[in-house]
Amino acid sequence: MNILKPSSISLKDMLEEKHLSLSPQNYRKIAIKNPHVVKISDLLDENSKYNKGTEVGGKSYVEFSTYKFIRNSNVSKLSNIVDLKNSLSIKPNDFSVALKLNNEDILLATDANISDTNLFIQDSELDSNEYMFSSGLVRVNPRSDIDKFFLLSLLKDDYFKEQLEAMTPKGSTIRHSKDFFLKCLVPIPSDEQMWIVPIISNLMKNICYMEAHSSISMDKIFSYYENILNLEVEVKETRISSLLSTNRLDAGLYSYDVKRFFARLNSIESYSLKDLGYKIRRGVNLAKRDLGRSLKTDVYRKNYYRLVYPSDISENGYINKITYLGTASKIWFLEEKDILFSAEGNVGKTFTICDANIRFTTNFHGIIITPITKEAANIEDSIFISTFLFYMKKIGIIDKISVGGQGGSFATNYWDILQFPELSNSIKQSISILYHNPANDFNPIKFNSAAIQTMGVYQINEMRIVCLSLITSILTDLKNNKLQNEIHYANFIS
């Protein structure tokens, strides 16, 4: 894509676009080679193109309610589904029935995190809450003949995002794009190319439902640890001797929550990382002086290395984003049974390598937890260590025992305080199946709800990467007016 800035702007242009702005930024054009483009408004229902949310106000928030409020922070560019876990509870009387979200509604951010778009997915069997949304969001209503997952893929694409960014005035503390999104252009296939629509739709639908299932699986894993550590224990006051023995003055380390957590661990059989047969080391330094010349891209390149930044591990266990690294020098990979731990910034997120199929490297901000003896270790132990650390992150323990600001740091010299509970083999096996359970003959270009329900978090990560990469490749070809045949994209998967 090329960004085109006009050499002149007429008063008529300014009035038609309703910018009333003298900034050329608001009049730049985003060009693609495909002439088959339509406005977003052309794909939406004529009677109700969108519904704008409303603000309920701080006085409406309560500690618990079955009525929930979705804000801009619950919609993310990295995710494809709305974050329901961090929604706010509100008073029943302040709930708007007209703005009640239904399963598979599309939400688009028009304020603050402008252009971020997510699908609302609610499992009614697990979640009986009702949800509405804030004024910084709109619910887009596609026409009855427009596939909503195809529309979602177009709204997630950079072509749409860059246009909306260009149209939105800058300078204010919180940016507002109003209804400018209706004028953004998106590419559509020609009549002979409409076969690609169900493929894109199925890819996006698989991604959304895999993300939702991964979230459910991680919650089930965490529930095992919750049940094991649901113990009544005595929490003792902090003594000077404790400060001297740990040689740390961090307030969080001596908080009630941290002391209760470790008191519960100490009341049952628990082990150190070394006792379990594992050690830690830092990720590699990717500086030019150590790596040499290199190229990084977000688009898949054959023979490039996969690079995973620890910050790109999602709260639901999978990896949000893969960067592809091309370098003349050889670099090492994380191997089967290794664990990636985010040691700086958003500390505590983990990802386990469960087979030899996935190979990636990481940077210095990651810590690698690896078996002291590979042959003696088993994958169940690696998954147990990884998910228990993630559980500590979820309940806030890792954040409290980390040091420093900007998200904190948990360097290698702090690991001696960690303990892991003894688990029965049956519990370890149950946790392992939730994390690592291959689906049989899953075809990314076909939507298969039953197969997704059996997938482990690890397999969801792999299939999600494939689906995202293929959507990116298809939409890039569509924008460049170079759409390939179905066999080409099938070979891409293989």
Side-chain angles (χ1 to χ4, degrees):
M1 293 188 298
N2 297 313
I3 298 176
L4 305 179
K5 292 184 179 180
S7 58
S8 62
I9 302 168
S10 68
L11 182 59
K12 181 181 177 182
D13 291 334
M14 296 173 64
L15 294 175
E16 285 182 352
E17 295 297 326
K18 299 181 182 179
H19 287 305
L20 299 180
S21 167
L22 297 178
S23 172
Q25 168 75 20
N26 300 138
Y27 299 93
R28 63 179 181 168
K29 305 297 181 183
I30 313 298
I32 60 172
K33 295 180 180 178
N34 190 344
H36 300 284
V37 293
V38 296
K39 292 181 179 180
I40 289 293
S41 60
D42 296 332
L43 303 178
L44 303 183
D45 186 86
E46 287 187 7
N47 298 320
S48 177
K49 294 186 182 297
Y50 67 92
N51 306 113
K52 186 174 177 60
T54 187
E55 287 305 318
V56 296
K59 293 182 179 180
S60 298
Y61 302 153
V62 292
E63 186 174 351
F64 176 78
S65 166
T66 58
Y67 296 91
K68 305 294 183 180
F69 189 58
I70 299 295
R71 301 171 297 166
N72 282 57
S73 58
N74 301 115
V75 175
S76 166
K77 65 180 178 180
L78 294 176
S79 177
N80 292 279
I81 61 173
V82 177
D83 172 20
L84 304 185
K85 294 179 183 178
N86 294 307
S87 59
L88 296 176
S89 296
I90 59 174
K91 297 174 183 177
N93 291 340
D94 294 325
F95 186 85
S96 172
V97 177
L99 297 178
K100 177 184 174 181
L101 286 166
N102 300 306
N103 194 45
E104 296 187 353
D105 278 348
I106 297 174
L107 287 182
L108 167 67
T110 56
D111 293 351
N113 53 324
I114 290 167
S115 80
D116 289 353
T117 310
N118 284 175
L119 188 76
F120 175 81
I121 293 183
Q122 182 182 19
D123 188 330
S124 57
E125 294 183 3
L126 299 174
D127 184 0
S128 59
N129 296 313
E130 296 188 67
Y131 296 84
M132 63 175 286
F133 52 102
S134 73
S135 62
L137 301 169
V138 297
R139 171 173 52 196
V140 295
N141 303 316
R143 288 184 352 220
S144 59
D145 60 332
I146 298 297
D147 186 292
K148 67 174 62 179
F149 290 94
F150 175 63
L151 174 61
L152 177 63
S153 69
L154 297 177
L155 294 174
K156 296 288 291 186
D157 187 66
D158 286 343
Y159 180 45
F160 168 76
K161 289 174 176 289
E162 288 197 35
Q163 290 178 81
L164 190 53
E165 282 290 326
M167 292 180 182
T168 305
K170 297 185 180 295
S172 58
T173 304
I174 298 179
R175 301 172 64 205
H176 306 278
S177 65
K178 303 178 182 178
D179 62 354
F180 296 152
F181 71 93
L182 295 173
K183 297 182 179 181
C184 292
L185 302 175
V186 289
I188 57 170
S190 63
D191 292 341
E192 297 78 22
Q193 298 172 332
M194 291 305 292
W195 57 268
I196 199 66
V197 172
I199 291 179
I200 296 174
S201 174
N202 287 334
L203 287 167
M204 180 55 72
K205 194 171 185 178
N206 279 326
I207 291 168
C208 292
Y209 277 90
M210 284 191 291
E211 289 182 6
H213 182 64
S214 185
S215 176
I216 292 170
S217 295
M218 291 299 289
D219 284 344
K220 288 180 179 178
I221 291 171
F222 295 153
S223 68
Y224 282 103
Y225 301 130
E226 195 72 42
N227 293 333
I228 291 168
L229 296 177
N230 187 20
L231 304 168
E232 291 295 330
V233 293
E234 180 185 0
V235 179
K236 298 180 179 180
E237 296 293 331
T238 303
R239 297 181 177 276
I240 294 294
S241 57
S242 298
L243 275 69
L244 295 175
S245 62
T246 57
N247 200 29
R248 286 179 59 182
L249 296 176
D250 312 78
L253 185 62
Y254 307 102
S255 65
Y256 175 81
D257 289 342
V258 170
K259 289 195 295 182
R260 182 181 60 178
F261 176 80
F262 283 106
R264 287 172 169 175
L265 277 176
N266 292 332
S267 68
I268 59 177
E269 195 73 28
S270 58
Y271 303 95
S272 68
L273 197 61
K274 186 176 181 181
D275 293 335
L276 294 171
Y278 287 76
K279 61 183 179 179
I280 58 175
R281 60 188 172 95
R282 276 285 191 179
V284 297
N285 192 334
L286 298 179
K288 185 177 180 180
R289 64 177 182 275
D290 297 313
L291 192 63
R293 292 185 61 194
S294 62
L295 294 172
K296 293 179 186 177
T297 176
D298 293 336
V299 181
Y300 169 79
R301 292 285 188 273
K302 190 176 180 180
N303 298 324
Y304 275 41
Y305 297 109
R306 281 182 176 182
L307 171 62
V308 174
Y309 294 104
S311 58
D312 287 330
I313 303 172
S314 82
E315 300 293 341
N316 294 324
Y318 51 80
I319 296 170
N320 274 323
K321 179 183 175 183
I322 295 286
T323 301
Y324 298 94
L325 176 68
T327 175
S329 58
K330 291 184 177 181
I331 56 178
W332 62 267
F333 296 102
L334 279 79
E335 299 176 350
E336 185 178 358
K337 304 174 188 175
D338 284 349
I339 303 163
L340 173 59
F341 177 89
S342 176
E344 294 184 16
N346 197 345
V347 178
K349 296 186 293 183
T350 61
F351 184 80
T352 315
I353 309 297
C354 297
D355 56 38
N357 295 330
I358 178 172
R359 288 161 60 84
F360 66 79
T361 190
T362 190
N363 67 359
F364 193 70
H365 297 299
I367 282 180
I368 314 306
I369 307 170
T370 186
I372 296 172
T373 306
K374 288 280 186 182
E375 295 74 18
N378 59 64
I379 193 63
E380 287 82 8
D381 283 337
S382 291
I383 291 172
F384 158 54
I385 291 169
S386 173
T387 55
F388 187 73
L389 288 169
F390 217 136
Y391 169 71
M392 291 177 65
K393 162 71 175 175
K394 175 182 178 290
I395 63 175
I397 300 300
I398 290 289
D399 291 337
K400 286 182 171 65
I401 64 178
S402 301
V403 299
Q406 300 299 317
S409 172
F410 199 68
T412 54
N413 53 317
Y414 301 129
W415 283 70
D416 56 349
I417 66 174
L418 295 182
Q419 293 289 314
F420 300 84
E422 183 179 40
L423 300 183
S424 66
N425 289 333
S426 62
I427 291 179
K428 280 188 180 180
Q429 186 65 32
S430 297
I431 291 172
S432 180
I433 289 173
L434 288 167
Y435 196 89
H436 175 45
N437 191 36
N440 295 324
D441 301 323
F442 181 76
N443 185 351
I445 63 175
K446 304 290 184 182
F447 177 66
N448 190 335
S449 177
I452 290 173
Q453 295 302 311
T454 66
M455 280 185 180
V457 174
Y458 180 78
Q459 282 69 37
I460 283 175
N461 175 74
E462 274 295 273
M463 286 298 101
R464 183 178 178 275
I465 290 172
V466 170
C467 292
L468 285 171
S469 298
L470 185 50
I471 281 184
T472 300
S473 178
I474 292 173
L475 291 181
T476 298
D477 290 344
L478 184 61
K479 287 180 289 189
N480 290 330
N481 207 23
K482 294 182 178 180
L483 198 65
Q484 308 293 319
N485 57 37
E486 190 169 353
I487 296 174
H488 171 84
Y489 300 116
N491 291 335
F492 180 97
I493 296 171
S494 63

